């Protein structure tokens, strides 16, 4: 689910304040966006590589380069690239993915154990939002909304893990 990736982006906001939140969220789910693009345009032949080590490293370099060109700060570029890399690192906990095209499949596949996956995602959401809430430039009224964001994210994750019928 995207909630853990978004939580990582929210937590990164504390260090990457100069980047717009939309850019942080984009970087955190870039491999999934690439996956969708690969599915929509099979001729690109990128679908099988979006979550491999080579694919995510290439995406991180591209996102870091674009970030550097737009925002003209290497620290922001490195941070955006790290967000892309964090995506696959997190996915190796929750899924089973190939290390390279036709390579060995690795990962803990926590999706298969709904409660364990939910607890991991909930912990990631809690840490990410705690970091976000402590961001020095966050306005006081926005801090009050963090609890609402947490509830929405946890509800989305619960629906993902357990469905609307609780199963």
């Amino acid at each position: 689910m995207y909630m853990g990736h978004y939580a990582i982006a929210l937590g990164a906001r504390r260090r990457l304040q100069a980047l717009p939140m939309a850019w942080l969220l984009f970087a955190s789910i870039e491999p999934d966006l690439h996956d969708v693009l690969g599915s929509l345009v099979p001729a690109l032949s990128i679908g099988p590589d979006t979550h491999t080590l080579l694919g995510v490293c290439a995406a991180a370099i591209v996102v870091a380069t674009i970030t550097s060109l737009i925002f003209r700060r290497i620290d922001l570029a490195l941070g955006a690239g790290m967000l892309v890399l964090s995506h696959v690192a997190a996915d190796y906990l929750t899924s089973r993915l190939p290390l390279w095209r036709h390579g060995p499949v690795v990962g803990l596949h926590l999706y298969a154990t709904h409660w364990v996956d939910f607890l991991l995602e909930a912990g990631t959401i809690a840490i990410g939002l705690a970091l976000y809430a402590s961001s020095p430039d966050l306005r006081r009224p926005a801090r009050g909304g963090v609890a609402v964001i947490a509830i929405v994210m946890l509800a989305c994750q619960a629906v993902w893990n357990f469905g609307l019928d609780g199963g």
Side-chain angles (χ1 to χ4, degrees):
M1 184 65 181
Y2 294 105
M3 294 304 109
H5 300 304
Y6 290 154
I8 292 169
L10 287 166
R13 175 75 170 81
R14 180 171 167 75
R15 294 279 183 211
L16 303 172
Q17 297 165 19
L19 287 178
M21 182 54 72
W23 193 259
L24 297 173
L25 295 171
F26 158 75
S28 74
I29 63 164
E30 195 286 334
D32 287 338
L33 296 174
H34 241 118
D35 198 19
V36 169
L37 180 63
S39 296
L40 293 174
V41 187
L44 293 175
S45 188
I46 59 173
D49 297 319
T50 60
H51 286 70
T52 64
L53 294 178
L54 181 60
V56 75
C57 286
I61 290 167
V62 169
V63 169
T65 301
I66 292 169
T67 304
S68 174
L69 293 171
I70 293 172
F71 298 98
R72 301 195 180 276
R73 285 184 44 193
I74 194 69
D75 61 327
L76 299 178
L78 292 173
M82 292 299 291
L83 273 174
V84 175
L85 293 175
S86 77
H87 182 99
V88 172
D91 276 4
Y92 282 134
L93 293 173
T94 58
S95 303
R96 290 186 48 79
L97 299 164
L99 289 174
W100 53 84
R101 191 182 282 201
H102 309 299
V105 175
V106 298
L108 297 180
H109 195 53
L110 295 180
Y111 283 155
T113 311
H114 301 297
W115 276 105
V116 175
D117 180 59
F118 179 79
L119 292 174
L120 174 69
E121 298 273 358
T124 304
I125 290 166
I127 292 167
L129 286 175
L131 290 170
Y132 176 70
S134 67
S135 184
D137 70 325
L138 193 63
R139 294 187 195 133
R140 185 175 202 102
R143 283 192 169 90
V146 171
V148 174
I149 294 169
I151 291 167
V152 169
M153 291 177 79
L154 288 170
C156 288
Q157 188 63 43
V159 168
W160 169 264
N161 286 122
F162 310 113
L164 292 175
D165 60 0

